[in-house]
Amino acid sequence: MLLCIDDANVEAIRRLVEYYPIDGVSTNPTIISRTKREPFEVLKEIREIIGSERELFAQVLATEADGMLADAKRIIKELGDNTIVKIPCTTEGFKAMKMCHKEGIRLLGTAIYTPMQGFIAAKCGCEYLAPYVNRIDNMGYDGVRVAMEIQDMLENNGLDYCGLLAASFKNSQQIIDLIKYGVKAVTVPVDVFDNFVKNAAIDAAVDQFTKDFANLVGPGKTMSNC
């Protein structure tokens, strides 16, 4: 299972890459707009931080298929290999996916709210699908369940070249449920990452270890110098 960062804040990405086993970074136009910087300037800096071995996801902005293809070609030209182009799962988007797939461009179908969107995007050649888990919840449906249904559709129809990059999370439990289900990847906001191990019980346990060891060998000592 791949663990990606859902953000374009380069300092936050640099910090998370240092501490966590990060497999890639996912961006979208809204995320990039929050940086107040030129899009490709930000994306190129992210690529420098994560290196060529990790995947970088960048989204087209055109609304018609020909424009989406042009956007996709520019994204790949600027950001290089291991870059996946995100295309919204709309009618024009599906057309663009087929065009891009013929060009050998790696694709992610985004803005997915229904299983049928995901199924069609997979048939169009997408390597990843991004169901918006929490946004689906906010519409009164079960986002985790929708993501699971899409996963089942892929497996039951021999579309194993495609997998989920589940997105739009507000808590760790949503992510845990999909990890247990075996999805291909999740992309996680920085604040949710920071809450993975933000727990008073964990802090208390570590503090107790430190105090007990200090009582044994003296304050400030560790296993390297006791």
Side-chain angles (χ1 to χ4, degrees):
M1 202 279 303
L2 302 179
L3 184 62
C4 298
I5 303 168
D6 196 25
D7 208 299
N9 181 315
V10 294
E11 294 309 318
I13 291 169
R14 200 184 308 276
R15 173 173 62 84
L16 292 177
V17 166
E18 180 179 359
Y19 288 100
Y20 289 94
I22 300 300
D23 297 294
V25 173
S26 174
T27 67
N28 63 42
T30 299
I31 285 173
I32 290 177
S33 72
R34 294 177 187 142
T35 69
K36 309 296 183 185
R37 299 172 59 191
E38 289 296 319
F40 281 109
E41 177 185 303
V42 176
L43 288 165
K44 286 180 178 180
E45 186 168 356
I46 293 172
R47 171 56 78 199
E48 289 178 4
I49 293 169
I50 67 176
S52 60
E53 73 279 6
R54 295 185 177 95
E55 294 179 334
L56 176 58
F57 298 80
Q59 187 166 325
V60 302
L61 261 296
T63 56
E64 296 184 356
D66 288 340
M68 292 180 185
L69 175 60
D71 280 0
K73 288 181 176 180
R74 171 82 187 281
I75 287 168
I76 298 302
K77 178 181 177 182
E78 296 286 350
L79 303 176
D81 294 337
N82 234 7
T83 300
I84 293 89
V85 175
K86 300 173 68 174
I87 298 180
C89 290
T90 62
T91 303
E92 287 291 322
F94 295 139
K95 180 180 178 181
M97 290 170 191
K98 294 195 297 178
M99 295 164 67
C100 289
H101 185 58
K102 288 181 180 179
E103 298 274 349
I105 296 171
R106 297 173 65 191
L107 300 170
L108 175 148
T110 193
I112 293 177
Y113 290 85
T114 69
M116 186 53 71
Q117 282 179 287
F119 178 74
I120 294 172
K123 292 280 288 181
C124 288
C126 283
E127 183 178 338
Y128 288 96
L129 306 174
Y132 286 175
V133 174
N134 201 70
R135 293 191 191 185
I136 295 171
D137 281 356
N138 290 339
M139 294 172 64
Y141 302 98
D142 186 337
V144 169
R145 174 51 53 189
V146 170
M148 290 176 175
E149 288 175 359
I150 296 172
Q151 171 100 350
D152 291 343
M153 291 173 71
L154 297 176
E155 293 177 355
N156 293 338
N157 289 278
L159 301 172
D160 54 0
Y161 54 81
C162 184
L164 269 59
L165 177 74
S168 178
F169 295 109
K170 290 301 180 185
N171 61 69
S172 299
Q173 190 59 51
Q174 293 169 323
I175 297 168
I176 290 169
D177 288 342
L178 291 178
I179 290 174
K180 288 191 294 185
Y181 204 69
V183 301
K184 183 175 182 178
V186 294
T187 185
V188 183
V190 170
D191 60 333
V192 178
F193 260 110
D194 288 334
N195 285 329
F196 278 168
V197 292
K198 189 176 181 180
N199 188 307
I202 298 172
D203 294 339
V206 174
D207 288 343
Q208 190 62 52
F209 294 149
T210 302
K211 291 176 183 176
D212 290 343
F213 199 74
N215 290 335
L216 176 66
V217 299
K221 299 290 186 179
T222 69
M223 292 298 286
S224 69
N225 58 17
C226 65

